[in-house]
Amino acid sequence: MTSELKLRPPAQMMRLHRLGAMHQCRLSFMRVLLRRMAREAWRFERQAFEIDAAGVGYAVYTTHGPERAYSLVAFAHDLPDEQRSDRVIATAWDATFALFDGVPEENDIARLAENVPLQEAGRLTAQELSVSRANRSARLWEHVVERLSQGMQPDCARLQEVGYLMRTTAVYGSGKLGAADRELIADRSEMAAPFQAEMLSIYLTRWFVRDLVEHMARARNPQAARLDNGLAEHLGIGNSTGLGMAPFLINHPQLFNNWMAAREEAIARVRALQTATQEARSAFAAAYEGAKRTVALWHSQSPLQQVRLVQLRQDLQQIDMALPELMDRSSPWDRLMVWAEDKLSYEGQELLASLILEPYGPLVDDLEVRLADDSVDSFRIDGGMHISELQEALREVYGWAGDIDWDAPESVARVWYVSEEKLEPRLGERFEEPVAAYEQALAPARDAAWLAQALTQWPGETQVAAFLLRHPEHRHQVRRVQIAQRAPYAEIRDNTISAEMLPIDMLRAKLSFFGVTRFDPRSDRWVRVCMYAGAPYPTELAPANADHWVYPGPQA
Amino acid sequence: MKLSHGELESMAVRATRGAGYPWGLALEAGRAVRWLSCRGADGGAELAALLSRGLAGDLAAHSPGDMVTSRSLSGIEMCPLILGAYLADLGPEFCRIQQPLERVCCPLLIVPFVAQAVLALRANLCVSTKSGATAETDGAGLLISGTFGGLVGGAHVSFWLKPRQPVGGSCDPRAHVDDESWSKLSSWAAQTYAPATEESRRRGAGASPGGL
């Protein structure tokens, strides 16, 4: 079957306009996590909730899996409104968190209390897997606390408008701040898929936030109401995503390839089906209706996103009209996708690409195991390759970069750099700011063009090792080319330093693999999103509700 | 200092770049330091010692290759990063390089580069200096006898293969580096950070502080 599968080609998929239109799907990491935890009947309990009337203190939430336990240790702070900032350079937050490997004892909590609230200014140990921080949505928080304290429920429309009570502004793993390196946990089956520790941390954070808001309402009035379950489920945890995430995709080409390739294979498997059972059609219809509800709730202040949402809503109308006829034929999913490519915006196409997977868990969920990158030798350069072969690979992956005028200012207008201010990743203007000297290696297209130029001076039968000995400045790009030879979805096929490049396109691609919804760009390099909106809370997680929560059902 | 391996690697990459090496070699230096550190060797100190030699300013002079003049006479050290990278590029053929390698600065840094080829060769590699320090690897583990560190002016390095036998040791979950080396690495790394200016803060990351 695999040999017949036609995956959408990298030349089509790895464009920023396409990556910037991606949607979550079955293979998204938070969905992978919840399916596993439901399947394996993970148990959840609140170990401690030591928070005072001012909202200051700590709480511990533990989950027990078949082999191990993990605990979210949450610290709540009393942050003055004027200090609230989502930037990397912030130094205080409404809440700070660590995901502890196991069940913490008193001395662990004491140690974490001294370090976690400081975030980058504190230190963690190999017993912590993830560290994060979150800020309130000030407007919504006050509204909910006030209503509950009056014995009433908050206004549903307001909840849906914002979507979250708190948003994380960074969620770190993999050794940051001294936390455990990924190698320490990569062998655990529950940690095999990417970012599972981070996704778990956020899932438990959502539970904490619900408890905290109810607690603050009770602090105002001991007779305060609890948040209605249905309303609580609407709420996700927001995330304020900035530039730090964009370099990740470029710096992890093998991993990014694995995500894209897994998704494209899933899509190809479904498209290869000759018929769709009634059951599959019903499942698709349910997901599609849910997606329409999500789109109806999806707002953005960004003029760019508003235009795209208008287009997406038009796409939905077109889908409504065309669907019955398309589904009534053989190979319906393939017909649907071919039609979509002709008629819909990228948002509509990628939404459908995700939706057609929904009825087919047993057919595609096995691709979860392909998401991680456990390769040890993808880093090594093959110095025995001949230059002629390298040139051919360059043409194949970066041929389009040869058409760009690299002398034109707009082609090299941007500079990715790191600020000494808390090592915040930033994007500067090459010809307007003195930042070019600090440029990070995040322009593969330009570097490919340079490499191609340099190679023209060398005979085709020379080995790459000899070339690199004389030109070590090209090692980085040669490695990228060789990775891309084996990993067709490794490279973004657009100029990442052009004047028109939108970092949010890269942010969106990675965020869609996390499983987030409601992309709300706040600028070309800053986006608000929502995570776990609609999901069951941990103590209610079960196989029946673990998967399709991302598509809201009809309102009661 | 106790760190995660990721932190040490990240610092090593930035320090190597800050000291003037191209990004590709900087990434490889980070990996090499991490490999050594996982196996109980002070990769950070080795790198700090190397970067102190300032070889990045003229990599061609410090590279292996056609050498008309003996390094013993010229006194020009060979850079272990460019040498190691070259050996890694050669894969299992790396053993064919002309030996001994003269005046190799901080030769312990070479070992991680060839570890993967050693695995493929299913043999053990021994790297030794004239003064008798030896590093042995089966591609996975590392055993050091004698002192590799502090070899100012470079060492004459020989290496050979011997029959495969396991070199033990499991990876330390933490990385260790002495304070002085960390401080030096931090200084070089700081060369890669743009100064914190009001304009950079305002333009560089997009959002205004605070939120809804």
Side-chain angles (χ1 to χ4, degrees):
Chain A
M1 185 180 169
T2 310
S3 58
E4 296 161 18
L5 287 182
K6 280 182 278 199
L7 275 60
R8 295 186 297 177
Q12 176 190 10
M13 291 310 300
M14 299 309 292
R15 304 295 308 279
L16 283 174
H17 58 238
R18 176 78 61 169
L19 296 172
M22 286 183 67
H23 291 254
Q24 63 79 39
C25 73
R26 298 192 63 78
L27 297 176
S28 298
F29 309 144
M30 63 180 71
R31 291 186 62 183
V32 168
L33 177 74
L34 258 52
R35 280 200 300 269
R36 167 187 290 279
M37 293 198 299
R39 189 168 67 236
E40 295 178 352
W42 287 58
R43 201 168 43 84
F44 297 88
E45 57 184 356
R46 192 173 85 175
Q47 298 268 359
F49 193 86
E50 303 292 329
I51 302 196
D52 66 20
V56 176
Y58 75 92
V60 181
Y61 295 80
T62 300
T63 180
H64 299 269
E67 292 178 76
R68 285 167 211 95
Y70 300 90
S71 301
L72 181 78
V73 182
F75 296 95
H77 312 291
D78 185 17
L79 181 71
D81 283 342
E82 65 273 11
Q83 283 186 34
R84 187 169 296 116
S85 165
D86 292 357
R87 298 264 311 252
V88 167
I89 53 179
T91 53
W93 303 269
D94 283 307
T96 52
F97 310 89
L99 187 72
F100 184 85
D101 191 12
V103 183
E105 314 217 325
E106 259 186 53
N107 59 315
D108 296 310
I109 296 175
R111 172 177 59 79
L112 292 173
E114 291 192 354
N115 285 277
V116 173
L118 302 178
Q119 296 285 291
E120 289 93 338
R123 290 299 296 164
L124 300 175
T125 70
Q127 286 189 290
E128 285 76 61
L129 306 183
S130 171
V131 59
S132 54
R133 66 278 198 121
N135 283 332
R136 294 175 188 172
S137 165
R139 320 163 287 178
L140 190 63
W141 186 272
E142 176 52 33
H143 169 74
V144 174
V145 170
E146 186 55 25
R147 283 288 184 96
L148 293 179
S149 71
Q150 291 166 358
M152 299 194 293
Q153 292 296 315
D155 178 49
C156 184
R158 286 188 70 168
L159 287 187
Q160 287 177 338
E161 189 201 330
V162 179
Y164 51 81
L165 283 165
M166 275 204 182
R167 60 183 177 273
T168 45
T169 61
V171 181
Y172 295 131
S174 296
K176 296 228 178 54
L177 279 58
D181 292 292
R182 175 160 167 80
E183 284 75 11
L184 291 178
I185 61 171
D187 287 344
R188 305 178 185 184
S189 58
E190 67 267 17
M191 292 290 158
F195 294 101
Q196 297 297 280
E198 291 89 336
M199 295 297 107
L200 175 60
S201 175
I202 295 164
Y203 187 52
L204 296 174
T205 295
R206 179 171 174 255
W207 185 11
F208 163 74
V209 168
R210 178 184 181 175
D211 283 353
L212 184 64
V213 78
E214 289 179 348
H215 171 82
M216 296 311 293
R218 276 195 301 277
R220 248 179 238 192
N221 173 9
Q223 311 304 318
R226 301 198 62 181
L227 188 56
D228 167 75
N229 205 53
L231 292 180
E233 284 195 346
H234 282 313
L235 292 169
I237 290 290
N239 185 257
S240 202
T241 312
L243 281 177
M245 197 177 269
F248 185 96
L249 296 184
I250 304 174
N251 287 328
H252 295 86
Q254 183 68 56
L255 185 62
F256 189 34
N257 167 82
N258 292 1
W259 301 352
M260 293 296 298
R263 181 170 185 263
E264 290 308 311
E265 171 144 0
I267 292 164
R269 286 182 185 178
V270 173
R271 288 176 75 165
L273 294 172
Q274 304 254 336
T275 57
T277 63
Q278 190 49 52
E279 194 188 339
R281 290 157 194 268
S282 299
F284 174 82
Y288 176 54
E289 291 303 314
K292 282 200 282 191
R293 287 179 206 108
T294 306
V295 173
L297 293 172
W298 182 357
H299 307 296
S300 176
Q301 298 178 356
S302 151
L304 199 74
Q305 189 62 33
Q306 284 167 6
V307 166
R308 296 171 70 166
L309 286 173
V310 165
Q311 281 177 335
L312 182 56
R313 289 178 183 126
Q314 286 169 355
D315 287 345
L316 292 174
Q317 287 175 346
Q318 288 204 69
I319 296 171
D320 282 341
M321 288 196 293
L323 205 54
E325 205 247 314
L326 289 167
M327 294 302 296
D328 207 24
R329 321 264 296 276
S330 62
S331 300
W333 308 115
D334 186 55
R335 281 182 200 280
L336 184 55
M337 289 299 293
V338 169
W339 169 86
E341 271 179 32
D342 188 37
K343 299 288 189 201
L344 304 184
S345 74
Y346 296 121
E347 287 265 6
Q349 292 177 40
E350 291 313 310
L351 178 62
L352 273 182
S354 291
L355 286 173
I356 64 172
L357 305 183
E358 292 302 338
Y360 294 106
L363 179 63
V364 305
D365 287 353
D366 65 295
L367 289 164
E368 288 172 19
V369 304
R370 302 241 205 112
L371 295 169
D373 173 25
D374 296 318
S375 64
V376 286
D377 54 2
S378 64
F379 190 75
R380 204 203 131 241
I381 290 174
D382 174 11
M385 179 182 286
H386 290 176
I387 286 196
S388 55
E389 187 185 342
L390 185 68
Q391 286 171 311
E392 198 183 312
L394 257 176
R395 273 189 296 271
E396 154 103 31
V397 181
Y398 305 92
W400 53 271
D403 298 333
I404 294 175
D405 177 7
W406 293 101
D407 293 323
E410 60 268 19
S411 299
V412 295
R414 297 349 224 309
V415 173
W416 294 90
Y417 69 98
V418 172
S419 170
E420 73 177 358
E421 194 171 0
K422 236 185 159 201
L423 304 191
E424 184 180 54
R426 293 182 182 171
L427 186 67
E429 300 295 322
R430 185 182 306 272
F431 303 107
E432 293 169 31
E433 304 172 65
V435 291
Y438 308 100
E439 183 165 17
Q440 303 279 306
L442 293 169
R446 179 203 53 199
D447 293 347
W450 280 350
L451 174 59
Q453 179 62 35
L455 289 172
T456 59
Q457 309 298 314
W458 287 70
E461 61 273 15
T462 306
Q463 289 186 321
V464 165
F467 167 74
L468 288 175
L469 191 53
R470 293 288 161 254
H471 290 285
E473 68 275 16
H474 291 294
R475 294 190 66 77
H476 187 61
Q477 191 56 35
V478 167
R479 180 164 29 245
R480 294 195 77 92
V481 174
Q482 291 187 343
I483 287 174
Q485 269 186 310
R486 310 183 287 270
Y489 297 94
E491 287 290 16
I492 294 170
R493 303 199 182 194
D494 267 308
N495 180 2
T496 53
I497 55 171
S498 84
E500 306 126 15
M501 183 269 309
L502 298 174
I504 47 171
D505 286 341
M506 287 185 256
L507 303 187
R508 174 135 174 196
K510 189 179 180 197
L511 288 166
S512 73
F513 279 103
F514 282 2
V516 315
T517 54
R518 301 182 59 158
F519 300 92
D520 176 15
R522 293 303 174 96
S523 77
D524 67 343
R525 58 196 68 182
W526 192 265
V527 60
R528 292 276 179 89
V529 298
C530 204
M531 298 178 285
Y532 290 113
Y537 280 75
T539 49
E540 280 144 38
L541 184 67
N545 64 16
D547 206 7
H548 296 288
W549 48 266
V550 69
Y551 303 108
Q555 297 277 27
Chain B
M1 282 196 69
K2 278 203 293 189
L3 310 157
S4 69
H5 292 294
E7 286 178 303
L8 179 57
E9 179 176 1
S10 184
M11 180 62 81
V13 171
R14 290 176 168 168
T16 307
R17 174 62 180 162
Y21 284 85
W23 277 110
L25 273 179
L27 284 176
E28 285 157 337
R31 289 241 170 172
V33 165
R34 184 173 186 152
W35 193 96
L36 289 171
S37 171
C38 268
R39 293 154 179 85
D42 196 342
E46 281 297 295
L47 183 66
L50 168 66
L51 298 183
S52 301
R53 305 299 296 160
L55 306 186
D58 187 1
L59 268 182
H62 301 289
S63 297
D66 305 324
M67 283 173 290
V68 176
T69 313
S70 158
R71 287 186 183 277
S72 294
L73 296 175
S74 69
I76 298 177
E77 297 162 276
M78 205 187 302
C79 171
L81 297 181
I82 187 97
L83 169 63
Y86 180 58
L87 294 176
D89 292 354
L90 295 177
E93 301 289 308
F94 80 91
C95 297
R96 305 215 177 155
I97 196 171
Q98 188 184 348
Q99 295 201 48
L101 298 164
E102 298 182 333
R103 290 199 165 273
V104 179
C105 184
C106 303
L108 189 58
L109 284 167
I110 302 171
V111 180
F113 283 92
V114 294
Q116 202 174 328
V118 171
L119 272 174
L121 287 168
R122 304 192 61 75
N124 279 26
L125 173 75
C126 289
V127 178
S128 68
T129 66
K130 228 162 134 182
S131 58
T134 307
E136 181 170 349
T137 181
D138 58 352
L142 176 69
L143 191 62
I144 298 178
S145 54
T147 314
F148 267 89
L151 293 165
V152 174
H156 291 343
V157 170
S158 304
F159 54 83
W160 65 94
L161 297 174
K162 54 189 251 204
R164 176 74 158 283
Q165 65 187 63
V167 175
S170 54
C171 184
D172 189 335
R174 302 277 78 180
H176 303 271
V177 64
D178 66 276
D179 289 350
E180 193 189 338
S181 297
W182 182 258
S183 173
K184 285 183 184 166
L185 293 175
S186 302
S187 296
W188 279 302
Q191 303 297 310
T192 68
Y193 311 145
T197 65
E198 187 49 46
E199 186 187 23
S200 164
R201 180 196 295 198
R202 189 172 41 81
R203 297 181 73 166
S208 52
L212 300 160

